[in-house]
Amino acid sequence: MAMVHGLDNAKRVLVVAPHADDEVLGVGGTIAKRSVQGDEIIVAILTGHGAGEHPLWPPAIWETVRAEAHRAHELLGVSKTLFHELPAVVVPDMAVHEVNKVVSDVIEEVRPQVLYVPFLHDLHKDHRELSYACSVAWRPVSETGQRICEIYMYETLSETHWNPPGLLPPFDPNVFVDIAEFLEKKCRAMACYGSQVKPPPHCRSIDGAVSLARWRGSTAGMHAAEAFMLVRRLC
């Protein structure tokens, strides 16, 4: 049975984003809502140019998108933005222990009580590897894992919905956050990512994000919602 996500006491929240704009696409309305309700929101964008020469893009690409991220995060009420340099689209080629360490260090630095991570079976392999690395860090037998009371996987337009049907588990949400009052702010935050947002009917357009929010909301009796898969809740 689906549950409507509620907030009580202020919490430290970490949103793990493989790439800049994933956090707004998947969690933007929830970030804005939790910020207004008093939570401390930290966003960790884990990929960038990397230490060496990137096979596809020059460093200036990240200068642009990171400036856009700062503007979007200020609008949403993010308390702190962390940038890391795992090389974008090359993460699956790295040694697993290296990726795990970067993610583990971020989670240990932030010490969140609530964690949002990308869906484990997204099409983009960066998303998959970083989601897996999060699962290594949050193991409940560890001190770090014991501190994280709530863990959610979020959906990212295109990456969550483009796998061939039936080959991998689908994104099947069981938590819905009412973002009707924050949808307009989410759209404004998306617009900050001028280098990333696509024109409609592309799914990564602002129209696409609104359509998804309206549809997710309609399945839960809300005007607009963001949907999540609850991984674990420690009470």
Side-chain angles (χ1 to χ4, degrees), residues 160-222:
T160 306
H161 310 112
W162 280 357
N163 276 320
L167 297 186
L168 290 170
F171 182 80
D172 190 13
N174 55 359
V175 175
F176 297 85
V177 179
D178 188 339
I179 63 162
E181 294 182 20
F182 300 93
L183 181 57
E184 188 270 339
K185 184 174 283 190
K186 173 173 178 164
C187 292
R188 285 165 52 205
M190 280 189 64
C192 291
Y193 279 112
S195 69
Q196 305 299 308
V197 173
K198 307 297 183 184
H202 198 287
C203 62
R204 292 175 76 97
S205 65
I206 292 176
D207 284 3
V210 171
S211 295
L212 179 61
R214 296 296 188 199
W215 179 60
R216 289 301 189 194
S218 71
T219 66
M222 305 169 184

Side-chain angles (χ1 to χ4, degrees), residues 84-118:
H84 288 265
E85 290 295 338
L86 291 169
V89 308
V90 187
V91 174
D93 298 327
M94 297 180 63
V96 173
H97 72 273
E98 293 178 2
V99 178
N100 289 354
K101 185 177 189 312
V102 170
V103 173
S104 179
D105 287 350
V106 169
I107 293 175
E108 184 59 34
E109 174 188 350
V110 175
R111 297 187 167 222
Q113 296 158 295
V114 181
L115 180 62
Y116 292 89
V117 305

Side-chain angles (χ1 to χ4, degrees), residues 44 60 106 120 156:
V106 169
L120 181 60
T156 306

Side-chain angles (χ1 to χ4, degrees), residues 5-162:
H5 190 38
L7 302 175
D8 38 34
N9 299 321
K11 297 180 175 66
R12 184 179 301 112
V13 178
L14 173 61
V15 179
V16 172
H19 315 98
D21 84 349
D22 290 334
E23 77 290 354
V24 175
L25 288 166
V27 200
T30 302
I31 289 172
K33 182 172 186 174
R34 298 196 76 133
S35 177
V36 165
Q37 293 177 334
D39 286 349
E40 178 187 7
I41 315 293
I42 298 93
V43 174
I45 297 172
L46 296 182
T47 66
H49 183 269
E53 182 178 354
H54 197 279
L56 297 177
W57 300 298
I61 294 291
W62 280 276
E63 294 174 9
T64 297
V65 77
R66 288 178 175 182
E68 293 171 344
H70 279 303
R71 291 194 291 272
H73 293 181
E74 181 178 5
L75 180 64
L76 294 176
V78 172
S79 304
K80 187 176 184 180
T81 304
L82 305 174
F83 293 109
H84 288 265
E85 290 295 338
L86 291 169
V89 308
V90 187
V91 174
D93 298 327
M94 297 180 63
V96 173
H97 72 273
E98 293 178 2
V99 178
N100 289 354
K101 185 177 189 312
V102 170
V103 173
S104 179
D105 287 350
V106 169
I107 293 175
E108 184 59 34
E109 174 188 350
V110 175
R111 297 187 167 222
Q113 296 158 295
V114 181
L115 180 62
Y116 292 89
V117 305
F119 180 49
L120 181 60
H121 300 293
D122 277 356
L123 181 64
H124 202 310
K125 290 186 177 181
D126 283 358
H127 289 221
R128 296 189 193 188
E129 297 301 325
L130 293 170
S131 184
Y132 172 80
C134 288
S135 72
V136 173
W138 77 46
R139 288 174 293 186
V141 294
S142 69
E143 183 179 346
T144 298
Q146 280 290 311
R147 285 195 297 265
I148 305 173
C149 301
E150 302 171 41
I151 302 168
Y152 303 93
M153 287 185 179
Y154 62 85
E155 60 184 332
T156 306
L157 282 160
S158 76
E159 307 303 349
T160 306
H161 310 112
W162 280 357

